[in-house]
Amino acid sequence: MRRVLSLVLIVFLFVLLLVACTPAPYSAVLCGKMNTDVLITLYSNGADKSADELIAACEDLLDEAEQALSRTDAAAELARVNANMETTVTLSDTLADMLRLSLSLSRETSGAFDPTAGALSVLYDITGDTHLPPDPDALAAAKATVDYTALALEGNTLSRPVGTVLDFGAIAKGHLAAVLVDYLLAEGVSGGVLSLGGNVAVFGEKPNGKPFRVAVRAPEGGYLGELALSGNTYVSTSGAYERFRVGTDGVTYHHIFDPATGKPADSGLASVTVVSRDGARADALSTALYVMGYDAAISFWEKAGRNFDMILVREDGEVFVTPDLTFEAA
Ligand code: ADP
Ligand code: MG
């Protein structure tokens, strides 16, 4: 009996030791950053800085980015560029780099992702209380300003038609996720998970060496399933269900616009999730593929040499998952 008891004690102590040796993750929420809440989970063993110092530095990086990239904060550089009536403006490096990257994704997606779609966000004002549906003349005027091919960016000098409204809402959160991951890895953080709105990043390794598990939301609520991912990977989901408002005509208006029509995208897709090693690309592509629709999204993926993964959910319930993903349906 005594032998059994001591064996139980030894097993108990061993388990206790294991638990004590597995570093607990450190989590924090930064509210109201980039129009969303930012969740940060760190396995910070290996870093010289404390978890609190790392989180504070992440907050500084987000605030700095917002001061450059916000369309709605009148003091931000982007808002000032949009309000500027000169055809030629000089941009900061942050803004010029964001625009250069955006224009390359616009070319790749033939304009399904277009950073000049800002006038449509202003017109439909999904988060505000503007009259919906918009007046047809106002829609035509806003749509006329949406054209990334009318922009010329040389170095930091941007020439564009006056009235162009730049908006990085479809790419900035994914880009910022990557900026934070690069910073945290450089500081020696061993691994972690970030979530910025519909954008999740997993980086480094978990202390137990197991894959990161990321849940994917179902458009109708609840979960579609779970992805098993290794670091460093970015997951971005776009869907009409995220931000929408019902107009006086009873139609639901949402926040992802088809630059070809100037109207909320109506491609038959309910949501698109893109998984990529590139944060900005994951974000911009989830928006662009949502605009393109199911068949065009699959052709795009083939043409891109299958260099990203995706989950497409059609409004009729059909789901397409690229074969390299480890995805467990709920
Ligand atoms: P969320 O911001 O909800 O994560 P997305 O990444 O799909 O969703 O981005 C949607 C935002 O991008 C909109 O709120 C708007 O600011 C902007 N946007 C909408 N349609 C387009 C488009 N076709 N191309 C580029 N940006 C767009
Ligand atoms: Mg996006």
Side-chain angles (χ1 to χ4, degrees):
M1 185 63 191
R2 202 186 268 172
R3 248 209 213 151
V4 174
L5 269 181
S6 47
L7 195 70
V8 168
L9 194 69
I10 286 169
V11 169
F12 177 72
L13 285 176
F14 183 69
V15 169
L16 207 66
L17 196 72
L18 258 184
V19 171
C21 288
T22 306
Y26 182 96
S27 293
V29 183
L30 302 173
C31 296
K33 304 287 170 188
M34 314 284 298
N35 280 335
T36 186
D37 293 338
V38 176
L39 277 63
I40 303 180
T41 298
L42 303 177
Y43 302 104
S44 69
N45 50 320
D48 289 336
K49 292 200 169 91
S50 71
D52 282 333
E53 286 172 317
L54 293 166
I55 303 286
C58 286
E59 185 163 16
D60 288 346
L61 286 169
L62 289 165
D63 289 342
E64 233 171 76
E66 208 157 6
Q67 278 157 28
L69 303 175
S70 173
R71 178 178 58 77
T72 49
D73 174 354
E77 186 191 356
L78 180 63
R80 286 185 281 115
V81 167
N82 283 340
N84 184 317
M85 289 294 132
E86 311 284 329
T87 46
T88 301
V89 278
T90 305
L91 308 179
S92 67
D93 289 346
T94 305
L95 202 51
D97 290 347
M98 184 82 275
L99 183 56
R100 195 164 291 112
L101 182 62
S102 296
L103 291 175
S104 77
L105 283 153
S106 295
R107 284 188 289 270
E108 191 187 353
T109 62
S110 309
F113 164 83
D114 190 329
T116 67
L120 299 173
S121 293
V122 175
L123 177 73
Y124 287 91
D125 188 26
I126 298 299
T127 51
D129 51 15
T130 307
H131 176 80
L132 285 174
D135 165 271
D137 290 343
L139 171 55
K143 185 181 167 297
T145 70
V146 182
D147 181 9
Y148 72 96
T149 65
L151 269 49
L153 180 64
E154 294 208 11
N156 288 36
T157 307
L158 168 68
S159 307
R160 85 302 194 210
V162 170
T164 304
V165 184
L166 294 174
D167 178 342
F168 297 111
I171 188 169
K173 293 196 290 287
H175 168 67
L176 254 292
V179 168
L180 296 186
V181 165
D182 291 348
Y183 165 75
L184 292 166
L185 285 171
E187 286 292 345
V189 173
S190 57
V193 181
L194 306 178
S195 169
L196 296 82
N199 298 269
V200 176
V202 300
F203 64 97
E205 280 185 3
K206 290 214 303 197
N208 62 11
K210 291 198 174 147
F212 291 95
R213 304 194 76 85
V214 173
V216 179
R217 263 184 73 177
E220 70 278 10
Y223 291 98
L224 192 67
E226 215 177 45
L227 288 164
L229 302 167
S230 64
N232 312 327
T233 302
Y234 299 85
V235 183
S236 174
T237 299
S238 287
Y241 62 90
E242 286 186 60
R243 293 174 208 244
F244 63 89
R245 204 146 61 79
V246 180
T248 49
D249 52 358
V251 173
T252 298
Y253 292 86
H254 66 84
H255 73 312
I256 301 172
F257 305 105
D258 182 347
T261 62
K263 296 184 177 166
D266 185 17
S267 66
L269 283 172
S271 79
V272 174
T273 297
V274 171
V275 181
S276 167
R277 297 278 177 192
D278 180 331
R281 185 172 164 79
D283 194 357
L285 286 189
S286 70
T287 308
L289 300 180
Y290 184 84
V291 170
M292 288 180 198
Y294 190 89
D295 293 337
I298 293 173
S299 315
F300 180 90
W301 169 72
E302 292 285 6
K303 253 178 71 196
R306 302 185 169 200
N307 67 6
F308 62 94
D309 283 297
M310 64 182 182
I311 302 172
L312 307 176
V313 182
R314 250 177 12 199
E315 277 167 358
D316 65 9
E318 176 83 16
V319 177
F320 176 83
V321 183
T322 50
D324 288 347
L325 280 182
T326 308
F327 179 69
E328 224 174 85

